[in-house]
Amino acid sequence: PSAETEPAVVTTNWYDPLLKFFSSVHVAVLTLIILASISIIGTVLQQKNIGDVGDNLRLYQEFFGDPGRAQRAFDISDRIGFFHLYQTWYFYALLGLLSTSLIVCSVRRLPMTWRLMARPKVDLEESGFKSSPNRRTLSLRLPRAEAAAIVVAALRKGGFGKREIERDATLYLFGQKGAYSRLGIYATHFSIIMIFIGGLLGSIYGFKAYMQ
């Protein structure tokens, strides 16, 4: 008689869909595009905390050519918040969404990046080597120890840190340099978040004015 094995039960947490949503690259890119588009509107239209929004009415009149349509567009823009765009709830919401996406993405991927830096896989499987687009094969008619010494010398000359491991009578040599450059993306994410925080503090507590 053959014993039937029950399928493994995959447990999921209630917050897994949220983590998947916020760590999605598509969500981050779409949010960034929307945020950039709204920022363009805030750049073209005069903002209340900077100058006279009456200039926007004249801009609409030049664009529509009809005073009635220009006035309606002006009133709708005012109600939507286009004249104080950087203090609107939806602008803050977009900043919060993008910041949350950057934080969740960084927190989820940082452990894997750190493992690649600290404990890289030295003994690459044959299938993994063959599937790599950047591979070169070189045959040396030398004893293994002598051939390994040549490879190690070449790695050191190129500034690569050397690691080696032996498995199944096969010697694997591994070299890498600039491993900490993998952290550059996290420094970028942190910088963007700091810029957002500074912009929020400036828009809430700061002011802009002209004086002679």
Side-chain angles (χ1 to χ4, degrees):
S2 60
E4 295 183 357
T5 59
E6 296 183 358
V9 178
V10 180
T11 59
T12 58
N13 299 309
W14 63 269
Y15 51 80
D16 287 342
L18 290 176
L19 293 178
K20 184 178 180 181
F21 173 80
F22 284 114
S23 61
S24 172
V25 177
H26 297 86
V27 172
V29 172
L30 181 61
T31 305
L32 191 60
I33 292 175
I34 297 175
L35 192 60
S37 302
I38 291 180
S39 299
I40 291 175
I41 297 175
T43 303
V44 174
L45 297 178
Q46 184 70 266
Q47 300 296 294
K48 289 182 178 180
N49 63 332
I50 296 180
D52 182 14
V53 295
D55 294 339
N56 296 326
L57 180 58
R58 289 187 287 272
L59 181 64
Y60 284 147
Q61 290 174 349
E62 294 177 1
F63 181 79
F64 291 105
D66 181 8
R69 295 179 61 186
Q71 185 64 49
R72 287 194 297 271
F74 181 87
D75 295 337
I76 293 174
S77 299
D78 191 17
R79 287 196 296 268
I80 294 176
F82 281 176
F83 302 152
H84 55 94
L85 187 62
Y86 302 113
Q87 288 82 34
T88 56
W89 66 267
Y90 51 85
F91 186 77
Y92 292 157
L94 288 171
L95 288 180
L97 178 59
L98 184 58
S99 299
T100 304
S101 178
L102 292 176
I103 293 172
V104 172
C105 181
S106 300
V107 171
R108 293 192 69 183
R109 298 181 182 179
L110 182 58
M112 181 180 64
T113 302
W114 188 262
R115 284 196 300 269
L116 290 175
M117 292 168 46
R119 299 188 301 275
K121 185 174 179 57
V122 178
D123 51 336
L124 185 65
E125 300 292 339
E126 186 69 19
S127 59
F129 177 75
K130 289 182 178 180
S131 61
S132 175
N134 301 316
R135 67 179 186 275
R136 296 292 183 271
T137 302
L138 179 64
S139 299
L140 299 177
R141 296 183 179 274
L142 296 170
R144 190 181 74 168
E146 188 175 346
I150 295 175
V151 175
V152 169
L155 290 174
R156 288 176 176 172
K157 184 178 180 180
F160 291 86
K162 186 265 299 181
R163 298 190 183 198
E164 66 178 59
I165 189 173
E166 187 170 354
R167 181 172 60 85
D168 298 333
T170 302
L171 179 64
Y172 295 88
L173 298 174
F174 175 85
Q176 70 171 347
K177 65 178 178 179
Y180 288 100
S181 63
R182 296 177 183 268
L183 298 177
I185 184 64
Y186 303 103
T188 302
H189 287 180
F190 178 76
S191 302
I192 293 174
I193 294 172
M194 291 301 295
I195 291 173
F196 287 169
I197 293 175
L200 286 174
L201 292 176
S203 63
I204 297 174
Y205 300 107
F207 66 92
K208 294 181 179 180
Y210 294 95
M211 62 180 299
Q212 297 295 332

